[in-house]
Amino acid sequence: MSESPVLSVSPVTVPAPGRAVELRVRVSAPMTGDGLPIILLSHGLGFSNHLSSLNGYAPLVNFWAARGFAVIQPTHLDSKTLSLEVSDAWRTRTQDMKHVFDGLDAIEAAVPSLAGRLDRDKVAVVGHSMGGHTASLLLGARVDEDLSEPRIKAGVLLAAPGNGGVTEFVSENYPFLSAMDFSSMTAPALVVAGEKDTSTHLTVRGAEWHADPYFQAPGPKALLSLVDAEHGLGGISGYDVAETTDENPDRVAVVQELTTAYLRSTLYPGDASWQAARDGLSAEFGHVESKDS
């Protein structure tokens, strides 16, 4: 698919009654074209001050927007940029995404060049790390309650948390990660996991933990396992990020291409992008498996 020039606007404020602070988002989209499918992008946490906000994930955001998607990325309440104490961030994160969905009129009003160009029937959610947890809840996974959003048609989980097998630190600080239930996550999703993403601060189970959303959820699901990839999946959270332990532009390119193709084919049945991307994936970088049920 050819690239288009990208327009990116931030901050855009989305109505969120009762929220501790304003809900601000970045909106990135191609400068031309109509009927744009929407990606809601949920950031992770991490050590940097601004990657866990609307200012992160430029390598993915720019790539998707240049290829026809409108990408909307909020700053969640647990972002390091806000310095807030949030006891139920896992819940407020899903609420943020629902506010964004409900606030599409406000977003189009704030970005006039986007008005009338969004396809609200073709919406996907993508999340990295803790954002992957957010995405899994929106797609149907559960902690104690159903936080799914049926208006979201598909998702991509990037280095997302698994189920159980957590460290003492996680049990004390993120107890909601101790008992995930993926059996109700029925929406189509691509799970992307690094084969060296041991995440020892989060889990005692090793890299296989991040593949739980694929193996424990019903189909349709796909799993992209990345050779030698660690938690940053080559550097998806930003350009030249110091905390990326596996910096590899070629690996990032694989994530860019495969996620774009998956979402394109899932949102548009009959589109051949996903099969072509799978066929073109070199074993040097990874492999894909899938299941229908």
Side-chain angles (χ1 to χ4, degrees):
M1 179 180 293
S2 60
E3 296 182 50
S4 300
V6 171
L7 172 71
S8 187
V9 181
S10 71
V12 174
T13 301
V14 175
R19 197 173 187 265
V21 298
E22 287 185 337
L23 175 55
R24 294 183 171 185
V25 305
R26 175 181 295 276
V27 183
S28 303
M31 295 183 66
T32 60
D34 296 314
L36 304 178
I38 301 169
I39 293 176
L40 307 180
L41 175 59
S42 181
H43 63 71
L45 299 179
F47 305 109
S48 298
N49 288 318
H50 295 284
L51 294 178
S52 60
S53 75
L54 55 77
N55 292 314
Y57 298 90
L60 294 181
V61 173
N62 293 340
F63 190 90
W64 291 330
R67 286 155 183 80
F69 288 88
V71 186
I72 305 173
Q73 48 187 141
T75 295
H76 294 303
L77 290 176
D78 58 356
S79 168
K80 193 172 182 179
T81 62
L82 298 178
S83 299
L84 298 174
E85 293 292 331
V86 187
S87 60
D88 60 344
W90 59 277
R91 184 181 290 110
T92 64
R93 279 169 156 265
T94 61
Q95 292 169 349
D96 286 346
M97 294 310 214
K98 294 180 182 184
H99 285 315
V100 170
F101 213 131
D102 294 335
L104 290 176
D105 285 343
I107 290 173
E108 289 194 18
V111 188
S113 62
L114 201 60
R117 298 174 58 207
L118 300 178
D119 187 340
R120 304 185 187 197
D121 292 325
K122 290 184 170 55
V123 180
V125 62
V126 179
H128 175 234
S129 192
M130 191 63 75
H133 180 265
T134 304
S136 68
L137 293 175
L138 291 166
L139 293 169
R142 299 184 181 185
V143 178
D144 294 319
E145 59 187 287
D146 182 4
L147 296 172
S148 62
E149 175 49 74
R151 293 174 294 182
I152 294 175
K153 306 304 182 185
V156 176
L157 312 183
L158 302 165
N163 178 28
V166 298
T167 62
E168 183 177 350
F169 168 81
V170 169
S171 295
E172 294 176 354
N173 294 278
Y174 305 103
F176 53 86
L177 293 180
S178 299
M180 281 291 291
D181 180 5
F182 292 109
S183 64
S184 54
M185 193 174 79
T186 57
L190 169 64
V191 178
V192 182
E195 293 185 346
K196 289 188 177 180
D197 183 7
T198 54
S199 297
T200 55
H201 61 301
L202 298 176
T203 180
V204 298
R205 288 180 46 211
E208 67 177 22
W209 187 61
H210 295 287
D212 282 354
Y214 172 78
F215 288 107
Q216 296 185 16
K221 297 290 183 295
L223 173 65
L224 169 60
S225 300
L226 295 172
V227 175
D228 291 335
E230 299 178 17
H231 201 60
L233 304 180
I236 63 170
S237 63
Y239 296 113
D240 299 322
V241 174
E243 68 189 51
T244 298
T245 56
D246 65 332
E247 183 77 23
N248 187 318
D250 290 334
R251 183 174 300 132
V252 172
V254 169
V255 177
Q256 291 170 330
E257 295 283 357
L258 270 290
T259 56
T260 301
Y262 178 83
L263 292 177
R264 177 67 59 181
S265 293
T266 304
L267 293 175
Y268 297 91
D271 182 281
S273 301
W274 174 236
Q275 188 59 55
R278 290 185 60 169
D279 292 344
L281 177 63
S282 169
E284 174 187 358
F285 291 106
H287 57 90
V288 173
E289 55 190 285
S290 61
K291 62 183 184 181
D292 293 324
S293 61

